Amino acid sequence: GSTRIVAVGAAQLGPIAKDETRAQVVERLIALLRRAHARGCKLVVFPELALTTFYPRWYIEDEAELDRWYETEMPGPETAPLFDEAKRLGIGFYLGYAELTHEDGARRRFNTAILVDGDGRIVSKYRKVHLPGHAEHEPWRAFQHLEKRYFEPGNLGFRVADAFGGRIGMAICNDRRWPETYRVMGLQGVEMVLLGYNTPIHNPPAPEHDALSWHHNTLVMQSGAYQNGTWVVGVAKAGVEEGVHQMGGTQIIAPSGETVALAVTEGDELITADCDLDLCRSYKETVFAFHKHRQPHAYGLITGT
Ligand code: CDT
């Protein structure tokens, strides 16, 4: 029979400097893509906001200055080389980026990820639903986290796409901490959730959590995988970026909840795994056979119904 093994590369990025150009970053992405191809990967997962530094750490008042961090087309002139090389290699990818678009007569900003297949086609798009941080300048913080200012909550929901021989979903960073993220995709039969993140180790409102950041990262992604019988691929932008230390911990997690590959650096690092999508089945058909065991009548508070 046909194999349902997807060779996946999780392409962690080290820091991206403020003055690094898109062209320079795209070169780093292409280098990782080629290494993944050499290892037989068919799908590479890059982090959240993978084309720039994590600019929500700064309060930016000037609209034109803010605009420079966003993509207005995908692919655009600077990202086309990534699409071209991926297509040439026959390898797909997940890419996180800041999206500036015109919709419903307004300029709108989203924290976005796309899924591109091995033919270079965008097969799915996701816009981050759970935006952490704050909307106003809070000078008491060591650094800002202004996602609530620079993005609006995603309006595409949590969709799944039939691609790479399986059912693929996407999420972005803070989404991974919320069980609803995985469950909404789990209810659609998701077999692999791709997610990129930028997570400062220091959380200014709750510094008592700092020492637990690695524990929490693994805890939420392993739980989401097991409770929905799905693979999870979590990919960091890591290291000290413009003075802020961001956690690594890039990992590939099986439907058992076990981590099968884990990055060990805070730089550009590729980890890979042969992900058998059929490993999802025994979870989806037994302990988490949703149609047999879920009790939605008791869950009304969650949806507000
Ligand atoms: N990028 C992102 O979503 N980061 C957040 C940092 C914590 S903000 C309180 C995260 O959940 O990892």
Side-chain angles (χ1 to χ4, degrees), residues 48 54 128 132-133 145 147 173-174 176-177 198-200 203:
E48 171 192 37
F54 190 76
K128 187 176 185 178
H145 198 112
E147 286 195 64
C173 196
N174 190 263
R176 75 194 187 288
R177 305 187 190 277
N198 283 261
T199 299
N203 183 15

Side-chain angles (χ1 to χ4, degrees), residues 12 14-15 42 51 59 62 89 108 119 137 146 152 184 186 194 200 223 231 241 243 257 274 301:
Q12 177 173 284
K42 293 287 180 236
L51 298 171
Y59 181 61
D62 182 60
L89 298 172
R108 304 180 67 175
D119 297 319
H137 191 209
L146 286 159
E152 60 183 289
V184 169
L194 315 177
S223 305
W231 289 86
E241 189 181 82
D274 288 328
L301 263 183

Side-chain angles (χ1 to χ4, degrees), residues 183 187 287-303 305:
R183 181 51 51 91
L187 287 166
V287 60
F288 297 119
F290 291 154
H291 62 287
K292 284 187 198 157
H293 307 306
R294 287 181 76 248
Q295 299 295 342
H297 68 86
Y299 308 157
L301 263 183
I302 288 177
T303 55
T305 56

Side-chain angles (χ1 to χ4, degrees), residues 190-191 229-231 255 276-285:
V190 75
E191 294 171 306
T230 179
W231 289 86
D276 184 352
L277 300 179
D278 286 332
L279 286 179
C280 300
R281 202 167 0 143
S282 71
Y283 294 92
K284 290 186 189 298
E285 290 181 356

